[in-house]
Amino acid sequence: MRPASSVAAARVPGGGLDRRAAGSRRIRSMLLAQGPKAWQGVSRLRSQLKPSVLPRALGGEVMCMKPQFLSSQSSAGPDRPLRPRLRTRLLVTVLFGAGLGWAWLSARAEKGRRQQQQRTEALRQAAVGQGDFSLLDHRGQACCKADFRGQWVLMYFGFTHCPDICPDELEKLVQVVRKLEAEPGLPQVQPVFITVDPERDDVAAMARYVQDFHPRLLGLTGSPEQVAQVSRSYRVYYSAGPKDEDQDYIVDHSIAIYLLNPDGLFTDYYGRGRSAEQIVDSVRRHMVAFRSILL
C-alpha cells in the first residue's frame, strides 16, 4: 500500500492519477541516486531533443511526441528521391523514343527494298532487252550484246540531228557516269548511244557526235534492219517525220535511259523526268544489290 500523501499528490482535479508526473519523479529520483554525471547526460539529451512540434491528443491531454531532428529528417526526405526519379523517367522516355525511331526507319528501309525488288522482278518479266544484236561502233568495229558482258551499261536511243532532247539526255547520262566514276569502290559504267536514224547516222557521223560528250561514250549504228531489231528488243518506239524542203526531218522516239547489269540483263530504266542525282542513287543501289546469276 502506498502512503496516502503520495496518492493525494498524484491525483488531478478530474479524479485520476497523473501517471506522467509520478513517472517523472521516479526517474528523477533514480538519476539523483546515480550521481551528478547521469543527471548532466540527461540534461544534454533534453537540450538536443526539443519537443513541441506536432501536438497529439491522447485521452484529452495534449502531448508533444515528436523531436525536432525527426521532424527535419521527415520533411527533407520526400524531396531527395525526386531528382533521381526524374532522371529515370527522362531516360526511359528517351530510350522509348529512340526505339520507336529505329523501328520506323527499319520498316521504311524494308519497304523500300521490297518495292525495289518488286520493280526489278516486273522489269525482268517484261522481256526487255532479250536476245542479241549486231551493230557497228563509231570506229567501224562490229559490236554485239556479248561484248558488254561483265560491265554495267547505260544505254540511250536517239539520233545525231536531234535539236535538244537527245543532247540533254546524253549530257545527263554522261553526268551520271562521271559521278559514279568519282565514287571509289564502284565498278565502271559503260555509256552507249544507239541511233534510231541509220539513214543519216553512219559510222563517221556517230564518231563526230560522241566525241563531244565523253571519251568512253560508244556510238552504235547499223543497217535499218539491224537498228529495227535492237529497238524492238528494248521496246523503243521511233518514227521518222516528214521531210522539209531541205530534206531534213525529225525522228519521233521514246525517251529513256536503260541500265544493263554485268549479266547483260535489263535492270532498270530512267525517263526524262529523272535527274542525274536520282539515277546515280538508283544505279548505286543496283550495284550493291547485284548478285550474278552466272556464278
Side-chain angles (χ1 to χ4, degrees):
M1 295 294 292
R2 288 186 183 178
S5 59
S6 62
V7 175
R11 291 185 181 275
V12 294
L17 296 177
D18 191 345
R19 296 181 180 178
R20 285 194 306 152
S24 298
R25 284 195 297 271
R26 284 196 298 271
I27 293 173
R28 190 178 297 112
S29 300
M30 292 170 61
L31 291 175
L32 289 174
Q34 292 179 6
K37 291 184 179 181
W39 183 256
Q40 292 174 3
V42 173
S43 300
R44 285 195 300 269
L45 181 60
R46 291 182 60 186
S47 64
Q48 294 176 3
L49 302 177
K50 296 182 180 180
S52 98
V53 176
L54 290 177
R56 180 179 177 185
L58 180 61
E61 298 179 359
V62 176
M63 300 179 62
C64 299
M65 298 294 295
K66 206 167 187 181
Q68 185 175 0
F69 77 96
L70 292 177
S71 174
S72 61
Q73 185 179 13
S74 62
S75 61
D79 295 334
R80 293 181 180 176
L82 288 180
R83 290 182 180 176
R85 193 178 306 160
L86 180 60
R87 285 197 298 267
T88 302
R89 290 178 179 176
L90 289 176
L91 180 60
V92 170
T93 302
V94 170
L95 292 177
F96 183 72
L100 287 179
W102 179 84
W104 181 79
L105 290 176
S106 299
R108 183 180 180 184
E110 180 62 27
K111 181 179 179 181
R113 285 193 294 269
R114 264 197 323 269
Q115 290 177 344
Q116 186 62 38
Q117 184 178 4
Q118 292 173 357
R119 175 180 171 84
T120 302
E121 291 299 326
L123 292 174
R124 288 180 178 178
Q125 293 176 5
V128 176
Q130 300 295 317
D132 201 357
F133 58 80
S134 179
L135 297 169
L136 293 175
D137 66 18
H138 64 272
R139 296 182 292 263
Q141 299 176 354
C143 180
C144 65
K145 186 177 179 181
D147 294 332
F148 301 104
R149 185 66 52 82
Q151 304 178 70
W152 289 91
V153 176
L154 284 173
M155 181 185 298
Y156 178 76
F157 290 80
F159 63 108
T160 62
H161 288 75
C162 182
D164 47 17
I165 295 178
C166 290
D168 291 344
E169 290 300 297
L170 281 174
E171 186 60 38
K172 182 169 66 177
L173 186 152
V174 167
Q175 289 179 19
V176 172
V177 172
R178 286 174 176 160
K179 288 178 181 293
L180 292 171
E181 285 176 340
E183 297 190 21
L186 292 182
Q188 196 174 71
V189 177
Q190 174 62 52
V192 176
F193 172 54
I194 301 179
T195 183
V196 291
D197 186 17
E199 292 185 3
R200 292 182 293 184
D201 293 340
D202 56 12
V203 171
M206 294 294 285
R208 291 191 300 270
Y209 192 73
V210 298
Q211 67 180 359
D212 294 332
F213 293 94
H214 193 280
R216 291 194 298 106
L217 177 60
L218 189 66
L220 300 182
T221 185
S223 67
E225 292 77 19
Q226 290 173 326
V227 170
Q229 178 187 357
V230 66
S231 299
R232 285 194 302 268
S233 175
Y234 287 93
R235 307 291 181 88
V236 175
Y237 161 81
Y238 68 98
S239 176
K243 297 180 180 180
D244 59 16
E245 55 185 13
D246 297 327
Q247 300 301 304
D248 192 14
Y249 58 90
I250 297 295
V251 179
D252 184 25
H253 63 91
S254 54
I255 303 170
I257 296 175
Y258 296 84
L259 176 66
L260 308 183
N261 69 21
D263 290 339
L265 298 177
F266 166 67
T267 302
D268 212 336
Y269 74 97
Y270 311 104
R272 189 179 181 187
R274 302 290 290 274
S275 66
E277 290 74 15
Q278 291 173 328
I279 298 176
V280 168
D281 182 66
S282 175
V283 173
R284 187 191 301 112
R285 285 189 283 106
H286 282 299
M287 287 179 172
V288 171
F290 174 71
R291 297 290 183 274
S292 177
I293 63 174
L294 301 180
L295 294 179

